[in-house]
Amino acid sequence: MRVLWITAELAPFAKVGGLADVSASLPKALHKLGTDIRLVLPYYGFIENNEIADLAISFRDYKERECKVFRTVIPGSEVPVYLVKNEIFQTGTAYGEKGEEVDLGDRFTTFCWIAVNLHNHVDFEPDLYHAHDWHTGPVMAFLKQAGVNYRSIFTIHNLAYQGNIATAYLREAGLSSTYIDPIADPGEVQTLRFLRLGILHPDLITTVSPTYAKEIMTPEYGYGLERDMTTHRLPVKGILNGIDPDEWDPQTDQFLHRQYGPDSLDDKIHNKTELQKEAGLKVDPSAYTVGIVTRLVYQKGVNILVDIIPDLMQEGFQVIILGTGDEKIEEQLRQLRTRYPDSFGIFLTYNEKLSHLMFAGLDSFVIPSRYEPCGLTQMYSMRYGTVPVVRCTGGLADTVEEDVTGFLFGNFSSQELLAALRNSKSAFDDRKNHWRGIQLAGMQSDWSWKKNALTWLEAYNEVVQTKTSD
Ligand code: ADP
């Protein structure tokens, strides 16, 4: 089976969030199971890597701009990755998330057009196209329009990001009015949500956890697409994401101050004191140190954590936040840092190495999300013996078990978060028994793709088989 995985993010080349991690870890797992899976990614100007080979293949897009094909592999594997160079991918970050001007309509229309035309230029004819999130929604419509007997799967990693883009881009790239007019949103400039094309046209829609698959059918989580989700002919299949256990292993992690495992859990403390030092906090092995690694955006609900910082400080917690994003949230965090220099630490940056030290050094990892399609950081935390305290929603509800592997709260409220954190602190106070049991239960949970890669393979097979039975 030949699968082309189409993504705007891939770790470590281009990472904004979890999509990048999953685009590396799941294809690796599927490749091990014998799937000929290959990826296509924009060759963004910021990607630096000398392992990328020029295939000396060049063609023109629908605007006569040059597309040059390069090839590399997902590091630590033999999974091929096609990187396509085009001037539209050259400047800025992937989505302009640092506030730069990026023409997202042009960028991702071009990427989708390239993805469906790539087979004309490289020696790889996919049986199945597997596309991800709004950036690649039009791939599903382009394929339908081409009428080729290829099969397609669309995976929703986050339904709230929908890509509201002027329809003119798609028309210019040759997508017919048949696909555009029925779902165009009216306005001064006619627009269309790219994600809707991804929902309306594939052979299978999936999302990244069973609970989120149910939640997105409701107005609270459907972000205006719940009707599309419920009236669509297909059910949405929720397959829980997994992690790469080699990449995230406290026993071998090169980014840690001291490596450790379930049999040497006492060594975790060296990472905690190093983290306290790096964050400029009072170095105190017995302090209860909680924190988060996150994009600082509305979804992640950091505001309810901010609301209770004075309570937490008074009750002897230390809090450390690694994140970047919303300028207003960053400013609030800076003010708290000034107010509580011994016990509130911030790193307002994106830093892979520090993120590993956070997963290893914190006692607890807090995830107060408004919604969380799957979430990977709770799984990384558990693997590192760091106890998750999370809101009971989406993939968090599917992975964390109350007082067994972590702590949960239900409503999106600072008081409920505070209660859950107090609960977790009581367990922490019984370090040798209660706490150790929770840490070990998390470390012993298997969050790798072992089981769900097989579920994916079955899904691929089912979809491809419908091709031959048409
Ligand atoms: P989302 O995709 O919504 O951002 P996930 O939990 O699925 O959330 O994935 C987030 C990924 O991004 C994790 O690998 C996390 O460690 C990483 N990450 C987020 N912010 C930072 C940061 N400031 N520095 C390093 N890694 C980060």
Side-chain angles (χ1 to χ4, degrees), residues 9 15-22 157-158 161 241 248 293-297 299-300 322-324 347-356 359 365 367 372-378 380:
E9 292 182 40
K15 174 164 166 174
V16 179
L19 172 62
D21 293 12
V22 172
H157 297 255
N158 194 325
Y161 296 94
N241 274 342
W248 297 93
V293 177
T294 188
R295 294 181 293 119
L296 295 171
V297 294
Q299 171 195 346
K300 301 295 179 180
L322 165 58
T324 134
F347 304 105
L348 300 180
T349 170
Y350 184 93
N351 186 316
E352 194 67 31
K353 179 169 188 242
L354 255 178
S355 78
H356 286 243
F359 289 115
F365 197 94
I367 313 183
E372 195 56 72
C374 179
L376 298 173
T377 54
Q378 78 279 17
Y380 297 147

Side-chain angles (χ1 to χ4, degrees), residues 41 51 94 121 165 198 214 235 249 274 304 320 327 341 350 365 383 394 443 454 458:
L41 177 79
E51 301 288 307
H121 306 282
I165 304 285
K214 288 187 213 132
D249 182 353
E274 179 64 18
I304 61 173
I320 306 177
E327 199 32 64
Y350 184 93
F365 197 94
R383 191 147 164 79
M443 291 179 100
L454 286 171
E458 275 165 30

Side-chain angles (χ1 to χ4, degrees), residues 268-308:
K268 180 172 164 30
I269 199 84
H270 299 289
N271 296 294
K272 176 171 173 176
T273 49
E274 179 64 18
L275 179 63
Q276 289 171 328
K277 222 188 288 170
E278 288 207 20
L281 303 189
K282 184 171 168 217
V283 176
D284 176 1
S286 66
Y288 184 41
T289 307
V290 308
I292 183 168
V293 177
T294 188
R295 294 181 293 119
L296 295 171
V297 294
Y298 175 82
Q299 171 195 346
K300 301 295 179 180
V302 174
N303 60 311
I304 61 173
L305 179 60
V306 165
D307 287 347
I308 57 168

Side-chain angles (χ1 to χ4, degrees), residues 320-338:
I320 306 177
I321 297 180
L322 165 58
T324 134
D326 189 318
E327 199 32 64
K328 267 208 230 101
I329 306 178
E330 291 194 5
E331 186 46 37
Q332 281 178 322
L333 299 181
R334 275 190 211 100
Q335 286 175 13
L336 287 168
R337 166 81 189 135
T338 312

